[in-house]
Amino acid sequence: MSSDDRQLTISEALREAQKITRLHSDSPSLDAQVLLGHILQKPLSWVLAHPESRLSPDQQVTLSQSLSQLESGTPLPYLLGHWEFYGLKFSVSPAVLIPRPETELLVEAALSWLRAHPDQRAAADIGTGSGCIAVALAKHIPDLHVTATDTSPEALEVAQANAEKHAVDQQIEFIQTDLLNVERSLFDVICANPPYISTATLHSLKVYGREPTLALDGGADGLKVIRTLMKEAPERLAPGGLVVVEIGASQGLSALALAQEAFAGADIQILTDLAGHDRLVRVETNHEN
Ligand SMILES: C[S@@+](CC[C@H](N)C(=O)[O-])C[C@H]1O[C@@H](n2cnc3c(N)ncnc32)[C@H](O)[C@@H]1O
């Protein structure tokens, strides 16, 4: 046996990786491919087209270290240091929530409203985390100004770096503060993906302890942050503006009630995600509200 034969082929490495990725992931095969692509510094298409190619000794060591980290619960995006959201690559660290595909619905809703209202260009992104919402909006609407807030200074550092990476840092002002507690008086669009999992539920989920609790814990009923945000938003929304807030799958009715209380007379909708779950509360006010 040559020393080369002791190195795993890509197809063997993928099988080894999947034994671990299936422990924590809903997409173990894709995660194994993404990990191999990262280690080999090759696109997924190359990884899939070269099953008989062998890893170098260094790559095999990196694979084995990465699999140990994944096995102990480190999410793959933290291990890679980046994750994709809305077609853009975002740096992520354990200080920020890993951007989720469901949140792309919020970006879609905000972008479609902004395109229909070309004179309304002041947006807020509350609880910006990695900055994925603020950056995606700014990238698609070049004359948009976004005020992005978070209470976590570590998250804001990641968000700032992402804004610079995507060359939209001139359009976004990052502020460490609670919710909408900023000097700018009125926003045309207020976006938020706040923490919305109830504390008790969160403690029973795999994600607990792996991603920041501050990003996930919505208090006793999960609605603590959404409730405060809905109370504050009417004062800060420009006439004829839009509020879009991500919610949990079972929070549609409660979020609807909170929005109706805050924005009497507005057009209020609960939007569902691709899985058919309640995912967004969308409030559009007219110039009289
Ligand atoms: C669910 S994460 C969303 C992160 C990012 N916007 C996304 O969609 O991936 C919620 C974020 O809100 C921040 N946060 C929690 N409470 C907050 C508050 N009272 N004011 C501002 N930000 C808050 C957390 O630090 C976290 O970054």
Side-chain angles (χ1 to χ4, degrees):
M1 186 190 254
S2 77
S3 68
D4 197 40
D5 290 341
R6 285 195 293 274
Q7 301 307 129
L8 294 176
T9 64
I10 287 180
S11 89
E12 289 165 343
L14 285 171
R15 271 200 300 280
E16 286 307 304
Q18 273 188 55
K19 287 183 197 159
I20 305 298
T21 53
R22 79 165 62 101
L23 299 175
H24 300 296
S25 167
D26 297 331
S27 52
S29 165
L30 179 62
D31 284 12
Q33 293 162 10
V34 170
L35 176 63
L36 260 291
H38 176 72
I39 292 171
L40 300 171
Q41 296 290 295
K42 298 281 188 200
L44 286 196
S45 52
W46 189 95
V47 172
L48 294 175
H50 295 82
E52 300 310 323
S53 183
R54 287 185 192 276
L55 275 65
S56 71
D58 282 354
Q59 288 167 341
Q60 200 154 307
V61 169
T62 309
L63 174 66
S64 136
Q65 289 167 343
S66 303
L67 294 181
S68 302
Q69 283 178 271
L70 290 177
E71 190 169 20
S72 62
T74 303
L76 178 63
Y78 292 157
L79 202 148
L80 304 176
H82 56 82
W83 204 238
E84 198 172 298
F85 176 80
Y86 214 75
L88 299 167
K89 193 168 167 179
F90 286 89
S91 296
V92 293
S93 80
V96 300
L97 187 88
I98 297 158
R100 302 295 203 271
E102 302 89 276
T103 306
E104 296 186 348
L105 183 66
L106 186 156
V107 172
E108 282 293 348
L111 283 179
S112 107
W113 187 90
L114 283 162
R115 287 183 181 124
H117 298 81
D119 298 330
Q120 291 171 277
R121 287 294 177 257
D125 172 26
I126 306 307
T128 195
S130 63
C132 60
I133 296 172
V135 169
L137 294 181
K139 196 80 195 156
H140 285 268
I141 308 281
D143 58 345
L144 186 70
H145 180 272
V146 189
T147 301
T149 74
D150 207 293
T151 44
S152 159
E154 295 84 8
L156 287 167
E157 270 179 40
V158 175
Q160 176 74 44
N162 278 319
E164 286 166 18
K165 176 168 159 170
H166 291 292
V168 291
D169 49 310
Q170 297 300 315
Q171 287 173 257
I172 308 176
E173 185 182 8
F174 292 101
I175 303 177
Q176 187 193 352
T177 191
D178 184 48
L179 298 180
L180 275 161
N181 190 12
V182 292
E183 272 175 25
R184 185 184 188 103
S185 54
L186 293 179
F187 297 99
D188 300 307
V189 182
I190 297 175
C191 302
N193 174 16
Y196 56 69
I197 303 174
S198 76
T199 308
T201 304
L202 177 60
H203 289 180
S204 71
L205 298 180
K206 274 188 185 173
V207 73
Y208 180 58
R210 297 197 179 134
E211 293 183 62
T213 299
L214 182 62
L216 298 165
D217 190 344
D221 64 355
L223 292 163
K224 185 167 170 247
V225 180
I226 294 176
R227 193 174 284 117
T228 312
L229 186 59
M230 281 297 172
K231 276 203 187 112
E232 291 182 6
E235 293 279 292
R236 313 309 299 272
L237 190 69
L242 179 80
V243 177
V244 270
V245 179
E246 185 166 320
I247 56 171
S250 62
Q251 291 173 336
L253 282 179
S254 319
L256 184 66
L258 290 172
Q260 283 169 337
E261 201 179 313
F263 292 98
D267 175 20
I268 302 174
Q269 294 172 303
I270 300 297
L271 306 185
T272 52
D273 60 23
L274 290 175
H277 298 132
D278 291 347
R279 191 55 62 199
L280 266 195
V281 54
R282 180 188 186 282
V283 179
E284 188 172 5
T285 65
N286 58 45
H287 285 269
E288 284 74 52
N289 299 143

